[in-house]
Amino acid sequence: MSLLELDHVAASYGPSQALFDISLALDPGEVLALMGRNGMGKSTTIKVICRLLPYHGGRLRLDGRDMANVPSYRAARMGLGLVPEGRRCFGPLTVRENLIAAARPGTWDFATVTALFPRLAEREGQIAASLSGGEQQMLAIGRALMTNPRLLILDEATEGLAPLVRQEIWEAIARLKRDSGLAILVVDKSLAELARIADRGVIIEKGATVWSDGFTALTPEITDRYLGV
């Protein structure tokens, strides 16, 4: 059974429909890349998965459970860990306070998170607002891991970061895939890095799933048609 399933999901912002026909599935321990040009519905799909936006068509299931009437806080307790676009750390709180704010018992605690991102241990008492963009992104990932999720969702986790920091984030994601057994849904524009870590990919075009397959099947023709500028 898939951990996460979306079958022909549709969703709107008020009268404006944003998703028309989204279908995808993610198995335990799998890394799935969610791709598409800007404005095609990737972040909206993530909002629906995390129950931050209602959907009015299709079906969303987590571990076989229908999620239609599940509020966002219960979705988080069921094992969804979100690293949102733009990081959104708690600026006035310290690094440690950010990490423990939503912590739940499990493998991921302050020691294991700071082993993945040693810079967070060095900045433990520093307020989040004073961190660099890369350090804030590490903190956002660490905060999501501290909830001990079953599914980690990364929405543009390397956007706007310096190349060396981007590489550090990608290496951490690769370690999570190799060592943690987490299912990971990742949105990013770097096809080269996605190809290195993702098992499969899904492409969204105008609010609908238009391609879904193993990453080795992503041909230049498909890339040019759906992901090119």
Side-chain angles (χ1 to χ4, degrees):
M1 178 187 294
S2 295
L3 176 61
L4 175 71
E5 297 175 90
L6 280 74
D7 296 323
H8 305 293
V9 167
S12 300
Y13 294 100
S16 300
Q17 189 163 352
L19 301 182
F20 295 85
D21 188 7
I22 299 294
S23 295
L24 62 85
L26 177 60
D27 293 335
E30 186 179 34
V31 178
L32 180 68
L34 184 61
M35 301 175 289
R37 296 185 183 94
N38 289 341
M40 293 299 168
K42 303 185 299 297
S43 291
T44 301
T45 299
I46 287 174
K47 288 179 182 178
V48 169
I49 292 170
C50 294
R51 308 310 303 120
L52 298 170
L53 180 70
Y55 61 97
H56 55 74
R59 178 175 288 186
L60 167 63
R61 292 184 292 265
L62 181 65
D63 202 17
R65 176 175 174 178
D66 192 300
M67 300 290 283
N69 298 313
V70 176
S72 58
Y73 73 92
R74 289 196 181 277
R77 290 177 183 174
M78 291 171 65
L80 294 181
L82 173 63
V83 181
E85 185 177 13
R87 298 179 282 275
R88 302 183 193 174
C89 299
F90 303 124
L93 302 185
T94 66
V95 166
R96 175 178 280 274
E97 288 168 341
N98 265 271
L99 290 175
I100 67 174
R104 301 182 68 209
T107 301
W108 291 101
D109 55 19
F110 187 81
T112 51
V113 165
T114 53
L116 182 66
F117 295 118
R119 222 180 301 184
L120 297 181
E122 298 169 8
R123 309 251 190 301
E124 173 182 356
Q126 191 170 329
I127 64 169
S130 68
L131 300 176
S132 69
E135 290 165 348
Q136 288 186 21
Q137 190 60 274
M138 295 174 193
L139 182 56
I141 296 172
R143 182 181 60 190
L145 289 172
M146 289 281 283
T147 68
N148 279 283
R150 301 168 65 195
L151 168 57
L152 181 66
I153 302 173
L154 300 156
D155 191 2
E156 301 284 5
T158 67
E159 185 176 25
L161 302 180
L164 287 177
V165 179
R166 286 173 57 89
Q167 190 57 38
E168 192 171 350
I169 298 292
W170 282 117
E171 288 173 0
I173 296 171
R175 283 181 59 189
L176 289 173
K177 177 183 179 179
R178 184 180 68 244
D179 300 334
S180 73
L182 273 173
I184 301 174
L185 177 64
V186 56
V187 174
D188 202 274
K189 296 180 178 67
S190 176
L191 289 180
E193 295 296 346
L194 289 174
R196 188 166 68 90
I197 68 161
D199 300 297
R200 294 186 300 110
V202 170
I203 297 177
I204 293 176
E205 175 85 1
K206 296 180 181 178
T209 299
V210 294
W211 181 87
S212 179
D213 208 334
F215 232 83
T216 55
L218 185 61
T219 64
E221 291 77 17
I222 294 171
T223 301
D224 289 343
R225 180 175 180 181
Y226 295 118
L227 303 177
V229 177

